[in-house]
Amino acid sequence: MIDRRTFLKISTLVTLGAAGGRELAAGLEAIDPAALPAAGAAGAAKRWALVIDVAKCLETPDCDRCIAACNRGHNVPRIDDDRHEVKWIWKEPFEQAFPDQENPWLDDKLKSAPVLTLCNHCDNPPCVRVCPTKATFRRPDGIVDMDLHRCIGCRYCMVACPYGSRSFNWMNPRPHIPRIDPEYPTRTKGVVEKCTFCVERLDKGQAPLCAAACPAGALVFGDLSDDTSEVRKRLKSRFALQRKAALGTKPMVFYLI
Amino acid sequence: MKLYGGSYIIAGLVVFLGIATFPIWYGAIGQNKPAFQSPPNPAGEQCIEPREYMRDRHMQLLTQWRDEAVRGGDWFYTATSGRKWTKSLTLTCMECHGKADAQGRSLTAATYCGECHDYVGVSLYCWDCHVDPAAPSAAGSAGRKVALAAHSNARRPGRHD
């Protein structure tokens, strides 16, 4: 019969061996993040930005084709209760979109004019900095995208975003989607969502839905790093505002006044 | 030297091992589950990779697709056959697996994926967000595969939404 010492020694070695072997096997199985392809492989960009010609947009203040195209294409639910509503692109009165424009003598018509607002895809995005799971991340082409598989619904990003561009799904959104487009996923209860600049379209060489839907050409989408692009031309030709630029978030949605 | 109280220790170990391996031997001797019937395959074409590979590794492949497409912006997968596929659960996988099988039964995700996943007790939450094109809600509202969904009313597993 073996003694207690030998028995303990052998059993300890067997346990350690089994645990170590499993660790090693798990390590070999793990996906190497460096093996993933470079981001934006298909689009090969750059620095995406959106220029909104506010003057042109306000010529038809009732038009909401960009909003409708976005909501339809991304299965954005329509929830009337504004505590639960989900927004990707929407309209905000000028003085609320630009609270730092403190000129009290601004024309009343402009003060209440409906201005398009959406995620600004900041160069210095506070939502990305606070996200504890890296569900929100900034792609090399400047788009602030979300990996909803990783979102735990903590809503830190909603607190961090100074533009209110993020919405939380307080309930299952599916019953509130007028027409589900099977080409795009819906979201589920408990995740945050926002505008993605239509990454899935950009990566296939198509313009974002809102810019493509605008009949007046008031929404111009393009590459800021390209000196000859349409967005750069527009920004040279007119004076443009950025929302709450003083906060240092470096928003990449520009408003031509 | 002697292992003091050896008989108690050995007996205790035997009891412990018996309890710890309960799921294994209970599963082996307890014939309380019928053998699994493979979910019906869509008629015709082969899947993007060989059948055995898909059966064993589809979950790794889907996870890889997810990471590469969402985080890397790389939306195309080149199969070992050289054919290119869009990395999409709804647009690629369900394009076949959401069709009707040979018996004309509409394959919703709940039938095609669900039958095996229910059997092995691995719950799926993919369809909480991703749209199953063969499911009644998507087909009815999007107008795709409406005809398919219509003649499969007999077997329509409940979805949790």
Side-chain angles (χ1 to χ4, degrees):
Chain A
M1 192 129 186
I2 54 168
D3 60 46
R4 188 196 290 265
R5 269 180 82 86
T6 322
F7 174 79
L8 287 175
K9 269 185 199 167
I10 293 170
S11 56
T12 309
L13 279 174
V14 168
T15 312
L16 281 177
R22 227 179 50 182
E23 282 300 291
L24 196 66
L28 290 175
E29 285 276 323
I31 293 174
D32 177 13
L36 293 178
K46 320 116 167 210
R47 198 3 175 149
W48 295 118
L50 183 68
V51 174
I52 300 176
D53 189 333
V54 178
K56 201 179 261 183
C57 183
L58 288 179
E59 284 171 13
T60 49
D62 295 329
C63 170
D64 66 347
R65 290 211 209 167
C66 51
I67 300 173
C70 176
N71 288 351
R72 202 167 45 233
H74 297 119
N75 293 325
V76 177
R78 209 176 123 182
I79 301 169
D80 291 330
D81 182 349
D82 60 7
R83 290 173 309 159
H84 297 164
E85 70 180 340
V86 174
K87 299 179 293 188
W88 283 40
I89 176 169
W90 72 102
K91 284 178 181 175
E92 204 74 74
F94 180 88
E95 61 176 348
Q96 282 174 36
F98 298 97
D100 46 0
Q101 297 297 313
E102 286 177 339
N103 171 6
W105 315 115
L106 205 63
D107 182 13
D108 279 345
K109 242 173 94 184
L110 183 59
K111 266 188 193 172
S112 57
V115 175
L116 283 172
T117 48
L118 67 158
C119 170
N120 282 281
H121 296 273
C122 306
D123 250 354
N124 181 20
C127 53
V128 171
R129 199 174 58 204
V130 299
C131 180
T133 61
K134 291 193 164 66
T136 289
F137 59 99
R138 190 173 168 277
R139 307 197 333 165
D141 59 5
I143 293 176
V144 177
D145 195 8
M146 288 194 67
D147 183 351
L148 291 164
H149 304 95
R150 291 177 77 142
C151 179
I152 55 171
C154 71
R155 287 166 276 147
Y156 280 174
C157 55
M158 294 176 68
V159 179
C161 176
Y163 307 107
S165 295
R166 292 174 160 272
S167 308
F168 184 67
N169 283 281
W170 290 95
M171 53 181 124
N172 177 15
R174 281 202 176 160
H176 304 279
I177 303 171
R179 219 187 109 161
I180 293 178
D181 182 349
E183 310 254 317
Y184 199 83
T186 69
R187 268 69 59 196
T188 183
K189 180 182 174 179
V191 296
V192 172
E193 64 182 86
K194 68 171 194 77
C195 155
T196 64
F197 262 0
C198 293
V199 277
E200 76 288 351
R201 285 172 61 86
L202 287 176
D203 285 343
K204 288 162 191 156
Q206 297 164 309
L209 285 167
C210 55
C214 182
L219 300 178
V220 183
F221 189 84
D223 180 13
L224 280 182
S225 68
D226 175 7
D227 196 29
T228 59
S229 65
E230 185 62 21
V231 281
R232 287 286 295 271
K233 275 186 215 156
R234 297 275 181 126
L235 289 175
K236 273 178 215 163
S237 69
R238 299 249 299 276
F239 174 70
L241 283 176
Q242 288 162 289
R243 292 180 67 198
K244 302 183 187 176
L247 296 177
T249 54
K250 301 197 176 84
M252 287 297 139
V253 176
F254 299 86
Y255 295 84
L256 298 177
I257 299 304
Chain B
M1 290 275 209
K2 192 177 182 300
L3 180 62
Y4 295 105
S7 53
Y8 294 109
I9 293 174
I10 301 293
L13 276 177
V14 168
V15 172
F16 169 76
L17 282 176
I19 293 170
T21 58
F22 171 80
I24 299 167
W25 57 258
Y26 183 77
I29 59 161
Q31 297 295 324
N32 51 359
K33 264 215 149 171
F36 178 64
Q37 299 290 317
S38 272
N41 274 309
E45 259 189 290
Q46 191 205 284
C47 198
I48 59 168
E49 296 288 357
R51 188 185 167 86
E52 290 67 34
Y53 178 85
M54 294 311 295
R55 195 174 270 176
D56 294 348
R57 313 270 298 191
H58 63 277
M59 61 301 271
Q60 279 102 333
L61 188 69
L62 286 171
T63 308
Q64 186 194 335
W65 279 16
R66 178 194 75 193
D67 291 344
E68 289 171 354
V70 177
R71 301 195 86 90
D74 176 12
W75 294 86
F76 296 100
Y77 173 75
T78 310
T80 41
S81 66
R83 198 164 156 193
K84 269 194 168 186
W85 300 91
T86 304
K87 290 172 186 164
S88 171
L89 189 57
T90 297
L91 302 183
T92 300
C93 306
M94 296 316 282
E95 198 57 43
C96 292
H97 295 295
K99 275 184 190 157
D101 65 1
Q103 285 81 47
R105 172 160 73 130
S106 165
L107 295 179
T108 61
T111 49
Y112 188 76
C113 314
E115 282 186 9
C116 190
H117 275 263
D118 284 348
Y119 183 82
V120 294
V122 179
S123 58
L124 283 178
Y125 48 88
C126 311
W127 310 105
D128 287 2
C129 294
H130 291 276
V131 181
D132 171 8
S137 58
S141 56
R144 265 178 54 161
K145 299 178 181 171
V146 178
L148 272 183
H151 71 249
S152 66
N153 274 322
R155 196 177 189 288
R156 181 163 292 167
R159 291 166 56 97
H160 46 156
D161 56 2

Coordinates of all heavy atoms in Angstrom, one line a residue, chain A residues 20 37 63 90 97 142-143 194 225 228 234 242 247:
Chain A
G20 N -3.3 22.1 -16.4 CA -2.4 22.7 -17.4 C -2.7 22.4 -18.8 O -2.6 23.2 -19.7
P37 N -8.5 41.0 -40.4 CA -8.1 41.9 -41.5 C -8.2 43.4 -41.1 O -9.0 43.7 -40.1 CB -9.2 41.6 -42.6 CG -10.3 41.1 -41.9 CD -9.8 40.3 -40.7
C63 N -40.1 68.0 -45.3 CA -39.5 66.8 -45.9 C -38.8 65.9 -44.9 O -38.1 66.4 -44.0 CB -38.5 67.2 -47.0 SG -37.6 65.8 -47.7
W90 N -32.9 62.5 -36.6 CA -34.1 63.2 -36.3 C -34.0 64.7 -36.4 O -32.9 65.2 -36.7 CB -34.6 62.7 -34.9 CG -33.8 63.3 -33.7 CD1 -34.2 64.3 -32.9 CD2 -32.5 62.8 -33.3 NE1 -33.2 64.6 -32.0 CE2 -32.2 63.7 -32.2 CE3 -31.6 61.9 -33.7 CZ2 -31.0 63.5 -31.5 CZ3 -30.5 61.7 -33.0 CH2 -30.1 62.5 -31.9
A97 N -30.3 72.3 -31.0 CA -29.2 71.6 -31.6 C -27.9 72.4 -31.4 O -26.8 71.8 -31.3 CB -29.4 71.5 -33.1
G142 N -12.8 56.5 -39.1 CA -13.5 57.6 -38.4 C -14.9 57.2 -37.9 O -15.5 58.0 -37.1
I143 N -15.5 56.2 -38.4 CA -16.9 55.9 -38.0 C -16.9 55.3 -36.6 O -16.1 54.4 -36.3 CB -17.5 54.9 -39.0 CG1 -17.7 55.7 -40.4 CG2 -18.9 54.4 -38.5 CD1 -18.2 54.8 -41.5
K194 N -27.5 53.5 -32.3 CA -27.4 54.9 -32.8 C -27.1 54.7 -34.3 O -26.9 53.6 -34.8 CB -26.3 55.6 -32.1 CG -24.9 55.0 -32.4 CD -23.8 55.8 -31.9 CE -22.5 55.4 -32.5 NZ -22.3 55.8 -33.9
S225 N -10.4 63.4 -46.0 CA -8.9 63.4 -46.2 C -8.6 63.6 -47.7 O -7.4 63.8 -48.0 CB -8.4 62.0 -45.8 OG -8.8 61.0 -46.6
T228 N -10.0 66.9 -52.9 CA -10.9 67.2 -54.0 C -12.3 66.7 -53.8 O -13.2 66.8 -54.7 CB -10.3 66.6 -55.3 OG1 -10.3 65.2 -55.1 CG2 -9.0 67.1 -55.6
R234 N -17.6 71.8 -50.3 CA -18.7 72.5 -49.7 C -18.2 73.2 -48.4 O -18.6 74.3 -48.2 CB -19.7 71.5 -49.2 CG -20.4 70.7 -50.3 CD -21.6 71.5 -50.9 NE -22.2 70.8 -52.0 CZ -23.5 70.5 -52.0 NH1 -24.3 70.9 -51.0 NH2 -24.0 69.8 -53.0
Q242 N -20.3 73.3 -36.2 CA -20.3 71.9 -35.6 C -21.0 72.0 -34.3 O -21.0 73.0 -33.6 CB -18.9 71.4 -35.4 CG -18.1 71.1 -36.6 CD -16.6 71.0 -36.3 OE1 -16.0 72.0 -36.0 NE2 -16.1 69.8 -36.3
L247 N -16.6 71.5 -26.8 CA -16.4 70.3 -25.8 C -15.2 69.5 -26.2 O -14.7 68.7 -25.5 CB -17.6 69.4 -25.8 CG -18.9 70.0 -25.2 CD1 -20.1 69.1 -25.3 CD2 -18.7 70.5 -23.8

